[in-house]
Amino acid sequence: MVLSAGSRRRPKYAAPLLSPTCLHRLSVPGEFAAGLDDDAGEEEEVRGRRAAAAVVLVVGPLGKVWRVELCRPLAGNGDGEAWLDGGWAELTAAHGLGEGWTVVLRLERRGVASLRAFDPGCCLARFCIPDTGIKTKDRPRFIKLLQQEDLEKMKIPEKFVQQQLTETYTNSHQNAIIVCPLGKFWRVELEREQPDVLLRDGWLAFLAAHDLSEGNILLFRYEGNMVFTVEVFLQNGCLKEHKTAALYLTDGPKGLSNAPQQSATKYEVSPVERKRMRRNEDTCLEGSNRKSRASPISVKKVGSQKKHLSIVPQNSFTKEMTAYSVHSLLAVKGTFCSQIGLLEASMITLKTSMNKKGSWRVAFKTASTYGYINGPGWSKFCLDNEVKKGDHCTFNAIKATVWHVVIVHC
């Protein structure tokens, strides 16, 4: 059930909320098309345009193989436009797919893809073999195209709740476990609002850690006993690739995790970054006791003469910034908040220098197992300090509501 951090996943493409046009001609990203077939096919006229078409095989939910044309403009390349045409309309019609359905294609090998279909209720469609009435066996799944209202708490599709969770969800079972693509466990609290079941406390931190926002597509597979594995798709429908390093940098709610502790994490620093860090440290220590105001980041020699950035776990933490954390909110571990005595909503002062100049007031809010920073003050801090995706920020709590920040730009 648990995915290893180094496991290689097959490429997938998710097309949510099919339109009537998509039922006859489905556009696919060039990168997925290149993996499906990169050989030039026969040249033909497709809807008034010159295009190259190659025949690929699509295995339907019942195991039947369909011959479908994969078309690309002759002037295009592997990163450009592509679409499934001849044979695609027959496939969708045979399975009763309609407007509002979602399909997920998985590349099995060159020229062959398998298809799963999700009905307008977002649940995996169950098809019966003709004449026998025997349903295909597959683990229960549901798919969600993230909307703005899903970012704070997400509703599990009502049909899925009725079919899969009515017997397992009770008042005494208030949590679900989400297993991310890198194998880390996230504990998310369930909230019952008749007739809905919502993912709430812990959900916001999960989104922030995986850089997810409106337009991303999540495919949940139910393993039983309120455990879900999840796959993440980009806005273009392609499967999102997760860096292994994210497993060690992500802060999540308190609970099961196979990620190593931050105190054991090290990152190699270039000579240019070391010089910039030293200048930042000198500025931070100006006018203060260097022993008592030591920077949370220290540069140490390793046996191979390489230098690494080591994290002091006592009153500091380091985050690799994502687009979500820069533009929306920054999640903070509940254990860190408890350790420094930050137990309720407050205003925090962020400093990049220990001098009075250069400080930013940001809003800190709390949830059951974590805290987070957001609002105009946080946006201004990121803008003024040119914080962007990929940068590493180390937050050192001088006081519960005064944090010194060292920024290492990527």
Side-chain angles (χ1 to χ4, degrees), residues 316-334:
S316 68
F317 65 94
T318 296
K319 296 277 287 191
E320 180 179 356
M321 306 303 289
T322 66
Y324 190 81
S325 59
V326 170
H327 299 294
S328 184
L329 62 85
L330 178 78
V332 184
K333 263 189 175 181

Side-chain angles (χ1 to χ4, degrees), residues 173-233:
H173 200 154
Q174 295 290 326
N175 293 307
I177 299 296
I178 298 178
V179 186
C180 75
L182 288 175
K184 181 173 180 178
F185 293 82
W186 293 80
R187 193 184 303 277
V188 179
E189 184 177 332
L190 295 173
E191 177 181 314
R192 187 80 177 192
E193 291 182 1
Q194 295 291 347
D196 300 330
V197 176
L198 307 173
L199 296 173
R200 190 164 183 174
D201 289 345
W203 175 247
L204 198 61
F206 173 82
L207 295 181
H210 293 84
D211 195 18
L212 302 180
S213 58
E214 185 177 359
N216 281 120
I217 305 164
L218 301 181
L219 176 56
F220 292 84
R221 186 178 74 184
Y222 186 47
E223 309 294 343
N225 199 28
M226 297 311 298
V227 176
F228 298 84
T229 54
V230 64
E231 290 182 304
V232 179
F233 295 84

Side-chain angles (χ1 to χ4, degrees), residues 61 95 97 101-104 115-119 123-127:
H95 292 88
L97 306 189
W101 284 61
T102 296
V103 295
V104 176
L115 178 141
R116 283 194 176 99
F118 296 79
D119 61 30
C123 296
L124 182 66
R126 300 289 186 177
F127 297 94

